[in-house]
């Protein structure tokens, strides 16, 4: 066995030397433009996929130091160009005609949610499907959905043992993800699907599906991920059964019927699915994509915000004081007023510290990557990472993929002092509002925070999610004195220090934790 390993090592080393010696040097195209610097990853077909998939942020930082804020390599058989600095990411987002998100958006649902290609690539979906969400979830229109979440989440929260079996002054102990995540999932399902869908029954399978979502993204076949595929199939089956029972034919409706007890948004969308002759299973796949789009990013944002605030007594005291003052001054100590509050209320100065804590959570614990397909050649300009020297113009070619890695911006020490640490008031301006501006090399960086992505692929549900996060935090701190007692690791061992668990850096979006935590809740009211 050892001789074979030795031979393989020599072959790999020789291949690397040949590549470094014989590879074409980066040179100008006939029009004087350069191709992006090349990052070398020797694995056939996979290219940089393993390094990128293990930790996109680290992948971006390391290559930025070697090659600058724009570089190219191979990934899964395609040429991929990566951009890592705020100005270059902004330039990529701006050129939505040449670098389009729709081709990517039409590929990912097929792999992730098992939707048949015809139901993803339907010619009317970009015009009469996706825009429904853009409109309903816009800042000016999201109030009914946000208000519905407030009511459903409070109903679920007030029905937990922490409320029902504990009087004011009493204490209960919870595993945080076991306590919080099902509540948010059920509330979101009720907001969009209504009470006819059995969210409690579907949660366990949804959780397995979400935990193994990367396997679908990577194109792993069913034989290599049976648990993931079985769980996805069961959730889709539950959604299909729901669609069959909730769809109510009505000749008076534009699409020949409506989705009983569901939100108008979902009813309209499913009506259009019927008009386009989508099979029920493919409609279920679309609903799964909608639920998944809200759940993981929302719950992990809440998780990390709580844990980082609870690490420091001063942070906890400051946030609790802000919430207490706001409950009195903004809501007159009336829970009904809080639950009826529209998203704009939570953007006021009275909630500036909470807004800053949310921004800091998105910065520190998020790893959003925006993907584009280059459909026509275009030029993108990149300055050096230190802002010295003349900017360089690079050519991105038709047919390539382009990836904007936002975590390299969020963890840039020239933009954020001590970027590895959580600073609850990092985003507060001198006037006490959450409007602080950030600068690098003396220049204002407008897109310093991209926790919800950016450009045409910026999360449509960001206003709904922001409201939901803030509402959950306010309700929890108003009703409980919360203490972070100790970690529960996956192997069953416990530690007494209230450490923040390590993040799983392989996730895209909000990073997940490698361990759950135990919280002590003492009822206040």
């Amino acid at each position: 066995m050892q001789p074979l390993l030795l031979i393989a090592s020599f072959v790999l080393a020789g291949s690397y030397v040949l590549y470094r010696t014989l590879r074409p040097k980066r040179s100008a195209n006939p029009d004087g433009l350069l191709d992006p610097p090349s990052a070398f990853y020797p694995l056939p077909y996979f290219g940089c996929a393993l390094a990128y998939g293990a930790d996109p942020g680290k992948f971006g930082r390391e290559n930025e130091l070697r090659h600058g804020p724009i570089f190219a390599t191979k990934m899964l058989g395609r040429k991929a160009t990566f951009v890592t600095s705020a100005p270059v990411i902004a330039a990529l987002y701006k050129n939505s005609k040449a670098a389009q998100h729709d081709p990517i958006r039409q590929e990912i649902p097929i792999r992730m949610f098992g939707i048949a290609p015809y139901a993803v690539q339907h010619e009317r979906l970009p015009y009469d499907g996706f825009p429904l969400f853009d409109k309903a979830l816009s800042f000016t229109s999201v109030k009914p959905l946000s208000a519905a979440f407030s009511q459903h989440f409070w109903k679920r929260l007030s029905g937990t043992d922490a409320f029902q079996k504990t009087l004011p002054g009493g204490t209960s102990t919870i595993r945080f993800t076991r306590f919080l995540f099902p509540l948010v999932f059920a509330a979101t399902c009720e907001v969009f699907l209504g009470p006819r869908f059995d969210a409690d029954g579907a949660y366990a399978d949804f959780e397995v599906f979400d935990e193994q979502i990367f396997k679908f993204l990577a194109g792993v076949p069913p034989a290599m991920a049976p648990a993931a595929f079985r769980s996805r199939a069961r959730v889709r089956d539950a959604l299909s059964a729901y669609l069959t029972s909730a769809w109510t034919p009505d000749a008076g409706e534009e699409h020949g019927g409506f989705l009983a007890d569901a939100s108008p948004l979902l009813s309209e969308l499913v009506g259009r699915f019927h008009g386009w002759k989508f099979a029920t299973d493919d409609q279920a796949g679309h609903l799964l994509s909608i639920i998944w789009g809200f759940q993981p990013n929302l719950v992990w944002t809440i998780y990390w915000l709580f844990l980082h605030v609870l690490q420091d007594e001063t942070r906890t005291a400051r946030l609790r004081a802000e919430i207490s003052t706001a409950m009195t001054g903004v809501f007159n100590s009336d829970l009904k007023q809080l639950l009826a509050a529209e998203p704009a209320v939570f953007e006021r100065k009275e909630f500036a510290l909470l807004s800053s804590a949310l921004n800091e959570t998105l910065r520190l614990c998020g790893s959003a990557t925006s993907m584009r397909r280059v459909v026509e050649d275009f030029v993108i300009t990149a300055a050096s990472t230190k802002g010295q020297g003349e900017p360089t113009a690079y050519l991105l070619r038709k047919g390539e993929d382009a990836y904007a890695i936002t975590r390299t911006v969020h963890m840039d020490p020239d933009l954020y002092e001590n970027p590895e640490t959580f600073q609850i008031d990092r985003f507060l301006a001198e006037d006490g509002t959450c409007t602080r501006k950030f600068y690098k090399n003396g220049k204002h960086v407008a897109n310093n925070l991209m926790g919800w992505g950016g450009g045409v692929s910026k999360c449509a549900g960001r206003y709904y999610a922001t409201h939901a996060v803030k509402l959950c935090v306010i309700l929890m701190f108003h009703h409980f004195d919360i203490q972070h007692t100790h970690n529960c690791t996956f192997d069953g061992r416990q530690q007494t220090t209230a450490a923040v668990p390590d993040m799983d850096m392989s996730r895209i979006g909000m990073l997940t934790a490698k361990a759950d935590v135990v919280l002590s809740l003492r009822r206040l009211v």
Side-chain angles (χ1 to χ4, degrees):
M1 191 66 183
Q2 288 184 347
L4 290 176
L5 290 174
L6 189 60
I7 292 171
S9 299
F10 276 117
V11 169
L12 186 61
S15 299
Y16 177 76
V17 171
L18 279 173
Y19 171 84
R20 300 293 292 185
T21 304
L22 301 177
R23 67 173 178 166
K25 304 300 181 183
R26 184 162 58 94
S27 58
N29 294 300
D31 50 11
L33 300 172
L34 294 173
D35 288 325
S38 178
F40 174 60
Y41 289 87
L43 284 177
Y45 178 74
F46 288 97
C48 71
L50 297 182
Y52 171 77
D55 188 339
K58 180 182 178 181
F59 168 84
R61 287 194 303 273
E62 290 180 346
N63 279 291
E64 183 181 66
L65 291 174
R66 294 190 188 105
H67 308 293
I70 177 170
F71 57 92
T73 186
K74 290 285 187 179
M75 184 164 71
L76 300 180
R78 297 181 58 85
K79 183 180 179 182
T81 297
F82 296 86
V83 296
T84 59
S85 73
V88 185
I89 291 174
L92 180 65
Y93 286 159
K94 185 177 181 180
N95 201 336
S96 58
K97 179 182 177 182
Q100 297 184 1
H101 177 60
D102 278 349
I104 302 292
R105 182 160 61 175
Q106 291 178 345
E107 293 176 2
I108 290 178
I110 297 172
R111 296 202 302 266
M112 287 178 59
F113 308 109
I115 307 172
Y118 83 95
V120 174
Q121 299 164 359
H122 192 278
E123 60 180 4
R124 298 309 307 169
L125 196 59
Y127 306 101
D128 299 322
F130 300 139
L132 290 176
F133 277 85
D134 295 336
K135 180 180 180 180
L137 293 167
S138 68
F139 189 71
T140 56
S141 303
V142 75
K143 181 180 177 180
L145 294 173
S146 297
F149 178 85
S150 298
Q151 296 294 334
H152 290 305
F153 180 79
W154 170 242
K155 180 184 70 174
R156 292 280 177 164
L157 178 63
S158 60
T160 61
D161 287 349
F163 264 87
Q164 295 296 315
K165 296 183 179 181
T166 308
L167 297 174
T171 301
S172 57
T173 301
I174 62 167
R175 287 188 63 186
F176 195 23
T177 64
R178 299 293 93 196
F179 177 82
L180 175 73
F181 289 16
L183 302 183
V184 176
F185 179 79
T188 297
C189 287
E190 287 191 82
V191 167
F192 291 97
L193 306 180
R196 294 182 180 229
F197 178 66
D198 182 11
D200 295 323
Y203 178 73
D205 281 315
F206 177 87
E207 185 178 47
V208 175
F209 163 71
D210 174 50
E211 287 175 350
Q212 303 195 42
I213 193 75
F214 67 94
K215 295 181 180 179
F216 296 102
L217 280 169
V220 173
M224 296 179 63
F229 278 86
R230 283 197 301 268
S231 295
R232 186 180 72 176
R234 284 194 288 262
V235 177
R236 281 170 51 102
D237 287 345
L239 287 166
S240 294
Y242 156 77
L243 286 166
T244 300
S245 64
W247 180 252
T248 304
D250 186 338
E253 292 287 327
E254 179 182 358
H255 303 291
F258 61 93
L259 205 58
D261 300 325
S263 68
L265 169 62
L266 255 292
S267 185
E268 174 69 13
L269 183 65
V270 171
R272 297 191 183 219
F273 288 164
H274 275 263
W276 297 333
K277 309 299 182 184
F278 286 6
T280 302
D281 285 348
D282 292 315
Q283 295 182 34
H286 277 289
L287 295 193
L288 176 57
S289 74
I290 293 166
I291 296 171
W292 182 85
F294 284 105
Q295 176 72 8
N297 287 334
L298 178 53
V299 294
W300 285 109
T301 301
I302 300 170
Y303 177 94
W304 292 120
L305 194 159
F306 265 104
L307 261 59
H308 283 289
V309 168
L310 294 173
Q311 290 308 294
D312 184 273
E313 292 181 359
T314 302
R315 296 176 195 161
T316 305
R318 290 178 64 186
L319 186 57
R320 181 177 294 283
E322 179 180 86
I323 291 172
S324 178
T325 301
M327 283 297 299
T328 302
V330 178
F331 303 119
N332 299 314
S333 301
D334 184 354
L335 182 63
K336 291 182 179 179
Q337 291 189 34
L338 168 64
L339 297 178
E342 57 185 279
V345 174
F346 292 152
E347 300 304 313
R348 289 165 46 174
K349 186 176 180 178
E350 289 90 339
F351 299 98
L353 188 64
L354 177 55
S355 295
S356 178
L358 172 56
N359 285 350
E360 181 70 340
T361 303
L362 294 172
R363 182 197 68 81
L364 182 61
C365 304
S367 184
T369 297
S370 298
M371 295 170 278
R372 301 288 191 271
R373 177 70 44 77
V374 180
V375 297
E376 60 182 55
D377 292 357
F378 76 99
V379 177
I380 194 166
T381 301
S384 68
T385 54
K386 296 299 181 182
Q388 300 172 351
E390 292 296 320
T392 304
Y394 295 107
L395 179 66
L396 271 64
R397 299 177 182 276
K398 179 179 179 180
E400 299 176 2
D401 290 337
Y403 295 77
I405 303 179
T406 61
R407 189 165 175 81
T408 53
V409 179
H410 296 167
M411 303 305 292
D412 185 350
D414 294 327
L415 186 61
Y416 294 107
E417 184 180 2
N418 299 321
E420 300 287 344
T421 63
F422 183 94
Q423 297 179 20
I424 191 171
D425 54 4
R426 188 188 293 274
F427 289 85
L428 293 185
E430 292 183 359
D431 64 356
T433 60
C434 187
T435 58
R436 180 182 173 185
K437 294 183 178 180
F438 291 82
Y439 298 83
K440 180 175 180 177
N441 300 323
K443 296 181 179 179
H444 174 229
V445 180
N447 61 328
N448 60 287
L449 183 65
M450 295 171 279
W452 303 113
V456 295
S457 61
K458 194 170 187 177
C459 176
R462 61 192 180 276
Y463 301 120
Y464 173 91
T466 296
H467 178 271
V469 170
K470 292 180 178 180
L471 176 87
C472 293
V473 173
I474 293 169
L475 284 174
M476 289 289 288
F477 272 112
H478 178 65
H479 288 92
F480 296 108
D481 174 24
I482 308 170
Q483 300 292 327
H484 180 179
T485 57
H486 57 270
N487 283 0
C488 279
T489 59
F490 288 136
D491 61 7
R493 295 176 300 172
Q494 296 182 346
Q495 57 189 67
T496 57
T497 57
V500 175
D502 291 335
M503 294 185 289
D504 180 355
M505 305 305 296
S506 66
R507 297 285 292 213
I508 295 177
M510 286 306 295
L511 300 171
T512 62
K514 292 185 176 180
D516 201 355
V517 295
V518 173
L519 299 182
S520 173
L521 307 181
R522 182 173 64 85
R523 274 284 302 273
L524 297 176
V525 293

